[in-house]
Amino acid sequence: MKTNRLTITVLAMTMSLAVSAQTSFDAAKLYEEELNGTARYVAMGGAMGALGSDISVISHNPAGIGTYHQSDINLSVSTFGSSVSTDPLATKAHQITSNGRTYYSHNTMSDINMSFDNISAVFSGSDGGSNYLNFAMSYRKLQNMDRDLDYVDAFNDADGYEVWREYKDHQRNKIHSFDFNLSCNLSDIVYFGWTLGILSTDTWSEGYFYDYYGEGMHPDHPQGLDYTAVDKMNQGEGTGWNMAFGTIIRPIPALRLGAAIKSPTYYKQYLEYADYLYAVMGEQKDGNKFPNSVDYKFSSPWSLDLSAGLTFGGSKVNCALGAEYEKHFTQRSSLSIGNTRLENQGSIDYKDFSVLKAGFEMNISNLSIRGGYNYKESMFNDASYPYLYDTDFNGWGTDTNGNLVVGRTDFQIDRLGKTHNFTAGLGYCSAPDNDGTQFYIDLAYLHGIRNSVVNVNEYIEDPDVNYNYKTDKVMLTIGWNF
């Protein structure tokens, strides 16, 4: 029975002396970036790399800050909620059978949360003519994920008796970015920009795994029997930095073409994980804690950003269209502990992925109407899984007597998949045609759908279950041009 194999692993884990743990699935948490920034940027799907004049392009195409002719200060807040469900929908009343396992999920919905997403400032100065030198500072929340996953299935053991299994996981990831930009504008024809980013990360997750015979399911255990009950927790924190370089060319007044390159983000992280073992094959434990921790480094990949913007219209009504393409060379990611590099992941688990953005803005006097779409491919290969048998990284190996020493164990694979964001928004500017002080307020709505493939226990007979994480967000930005 598979449960027995898991139990042996858990028992061995309690005797291990593992001092390090790291997988590409841990590192991937640091590379997930949500569509976030100002309400204008979000409402246009983030497709503003060539159009510029929005602080949120600061790390995508730094030259976009060079398009400012005035200084600007703004801040953004949002409310958001999320839900998690299987696809196709599997509930207790409508269960699904796959590979001999019947499963369902307690589909969950989060509370409405408040978030402070962005505060930024741009300081613009000119030579008295058409050349500008701008400096900008920005704080932006790159990731603010909080989700629950609940999974229950039933299958027959080697003797034909039914076993029930329950798994639950709660994840919370936060990544904060502090960006500093220097950019210039040469006669509104060519723009250049450079950005330094300083990042702070905070990741946390807790899950439990619970196998049991229910009452009356096994003749030797008429009252039921717990096989394994274990809580697993991990939390990490750290810092990172990156740089981006960009340019925008304006061959004709209505057209802007942009290109940018972003360096890897070089992270230093501290990861701590622990197991609380309560029962094994019916034998009650004391809830002992088996902690381990590791300091590790992760380098995210280089990325390339290509964008285009088109503006047209008259004095009363004018429009802007934006399109953007990002390529992330994820296979070139690297993980290391000390001077040891993890060779069996990164290029194996990850694949290069693309992000597509499209958006529009229509300005009618003081009012603006916006809409957009943002699509991101998965960074994981279909066959990827947490590789736990690396001696240097996860404590696996043999002792002086040649006996197997077990390090870290996981009981879940979570391959984050494609993400679709649908956006819309409204804006008001007090004096859109005035070069003096202006007050503006923007609203945005985002509906996001992120797919994830979950395999609960790393064995091929377990079904891959598709989950959809849906997010609804309303964002408000208030700012001043001066």
Side-chain angles (χ1 to χ4, degrees):
M1 177 178 159
K2 183 181 68 177
T3 305
N4 292 338
R5 282 185 285 171
L6 175 67
T7 299
I8 292 172
T9 302
V10 173
L11 285 172
M13 177 176 58
T14 68
M15 298 179 288
S16 73
L17 297 175
V19 295
S20 59
Q22 172 59 23
T23 74
S24 58
F25 282 69
D26 296 316
K29 296 178 181 179
L30 306 179
Y31 199 60
E32 285 293 310
E33 182 175 334
E34 298 175 355
L35 177 57
N36 204 6
T38 67
R40 182 186 180 213
Y41 178 83
V42 170
M44 294 184 65
M48 300 190 67
L51 293 170
S53 294
D54 191 284
I55 191 65
S56 299
V57 305
I58 191 170
S59 64
H60 294 278
N61 188 345
I65 306 303
T67 62
Y68 278 90
H69 288 180
Q70 294 179 275
S71 298
D72 178 77
I73 295 177
N74 63 68
L75 59 89
S76 304
V77 295
S78 67
T79 61
F80 68 96
S82 62
S83 63
V84 180
S85 62
T86 58
D87 182 19
L89 193 64
T91 65
K92 190 171 185 179
H94 300 90
Q95 300 176 21
I96 293 177
T97 299
S98 175
N99 293 340
R101 280 159 168 71
T102 300
Y103 71 89
Y104 66 90
S105 176
H106 295 291
N107 303 307
T108 61
M109 182 175 296
S110 73
D111 296 329
I112 300 298
N113 298 288
M114 295 287 296
S115 176
F116 179 74
D117 295 294
N118 176 76
I119 184 168
S120 307
V122 178
F123 302 97
S124 179
S126 74
D127 61 358
S130 57
N131 298 320
Y132 290 81
L133 181 65
N134 297 340
F135 173 72
M137 300 180 296
S138 174
Y139 160 76
R140 181 163 61 109
K141 193 169 289 182
L142 298 184
Q143 187 180 156
N144 190 22
M145 188 265 281
D146 194 335
R147 70 178 187 189
D148 285 288
L149 185 148
D150 198 333
Y151 172 93
V152 180
D153 71 2
F155 55 92
N156 293 329
D157 66 12
D159 298 320
Y161 296 109
E162 188 177 41
V163 181
W164 281 90
R165 173 176 63 173
E166 184 174 2
Y167 166 80
K168 188 169 184 178
D169 182 63
H170 182 196
Q171 292 191 41
R172 184 179 65 238
N173 298 333
K174 297 182 185 296
I175 301 177
H176 312 272
S177 181
F178 302 86
D179 297 307
F180 304 89
N181 172 274
L182 187 65
S183 56
C184 64
N185 172 354
L186 304 179
S187 302
D188 276 328
I189 298 175
V190 179
Y191 310 84
F192 297 101
W194 168 81
T195 294
L196 171 67
I198 307 296
L199 290 83
S200 171
T201 67
D202 179 13
T203 63
W204 176 88
S205 70
E206 178 179 11
Y208 69 75
F209 185 91
Y210 186 45
D211 268 20
Y212 61 97
Y213 288 122
E215 185 176 353
M217 288 183 176
H218 197 291
D220 295 338
H221 310 287
Q223 303 302 317
L225 175 67
D226 296 339
Y227 265 80
T228 304
V230 58
D231 279 346
K232 293 180 69 68
M233 288 177 281
N234 70 67
Q235 59 183 11
E237 59 182 16
T239 58
W241 67 273
N242 58 40
M243 290 192 294
F245 305 88
T247 185
I248 298 173
I249 299 174
R250 194 178 183 187
I252 59 175
L255 179 65
R256 299 183 186 187
L257 302 174
I261 188 168
K262 189 173 183 178
S263 78
T265 302
Y266 299 96
Y267 284 106
K268 286 187 176 182
Q269 296 291 306
Y270 173 77
L271 177 67
E272 184 177 43
Y273 67 98
D275 302 307
Y276 291 84
L277 190 61
Y278 295 106
V280 175
M281 299 188 69
E283 180 183 352
Q284 184 174 354
K285 301 296 179 181
D286 296 325
N288 295 322
K289 180 179 181 181
F290 308 103
N292 289 284
S293 62
V294 60
D295 292 293
Y296 72 95
K297 298 176 183 178
F298 169 58
S299 297
S300 71
W302 289 85
S303 62
L304 175 68
D305 187 294
L306 301 175
S307 55
L310 182 66
T311 59
F312 55 93
S315 59
K316 300 249 183 216
V317 179
N318 59 78
C319 299
L321 301 177
E324 196 162 339
Y325 170 78
E326 292 179 5
K327 184 70 173 182
H328 298 254
F329 301 98
T330 325
Q331 288 183 311
R332 292 160 181 79
S333 302
S334 66
L335 302 92
S336 60
I337 296 176
N339 295 321
T340 303
R341 182 173 177 177
L342 188 67
E343 299 293 349
N344 290 321
Q345 296 187 50
S347 62
I348 296 177
D349 290 334
Y350 297 153
K351 64 180 180 181
D352 297 346
F353 72 94
S354 301
V355 180
L356 301 176
K357 308 175 185 179
F360 77 90
E361 178 180 67
M362 178 181 293
N363 300 305
I364 307 172
S365 186
N366 299 76
L367 300 178
S368 299
I369 301 172
R370 305 178 181 112
Y373 172 69
N374 183 292
Y375 168 74
K376 180 168 62 176
E377 295 178 326
S378 172
M379 67 183 292
F380 282 104
N381 287 310
D382 292 341
S384 59
Y385 66 95
Y387 186 78
L388 301 171
Y389 313 110
D390 185 286
T391 301
D392 292 317
F393 280 77
N394 294 307
W396 286 77
T398 56
D399 60 20
T400 56
N401 298 320
N403 299 315
L404 176 67
V405 176
V406 181
R408 175 181 177 179
T409 63
D410 280 7
F411 47 72
Q412 178 215 10
I413 298 171
D414 188 357
R415 296 189 294 268
L416 293 175
K418 301 174 182 178
T419 302
H420 301 268
N421 290 307
F422 305 89
T423 62
L426 297 172
Y428 171 83
C429 182
S430 60
D433 299 321
N434 188 348
D435 290 334
T437 301
Q438 303 171 23
F439 163 80
Y440 62 91
I441 182 169
D442 296 314
L443 284 171
Y445 168 72
L446 178 148
H447 177 68
I449 304 172
R450 180 167 59 177
N451 170 262
S452 180
V453 178
V454 175
N455 186 294
V456 173
N457 208 16
E458 302 176 29
Y459 293 104
I460 193 169
E461 61 263 30
D462 280 337
D464 285 341
V465 181
N466 294 307
Y467 279 85
N468 280 335
Y469 304 103
K470 298 181 180 179
T471 300
D472 291 284
K473 172 186 273 189
V474 177
M475 176 174 286
L476 170 69
T477 297
I478 298 175
W480 296 263
N481 292 134
F482 57 93

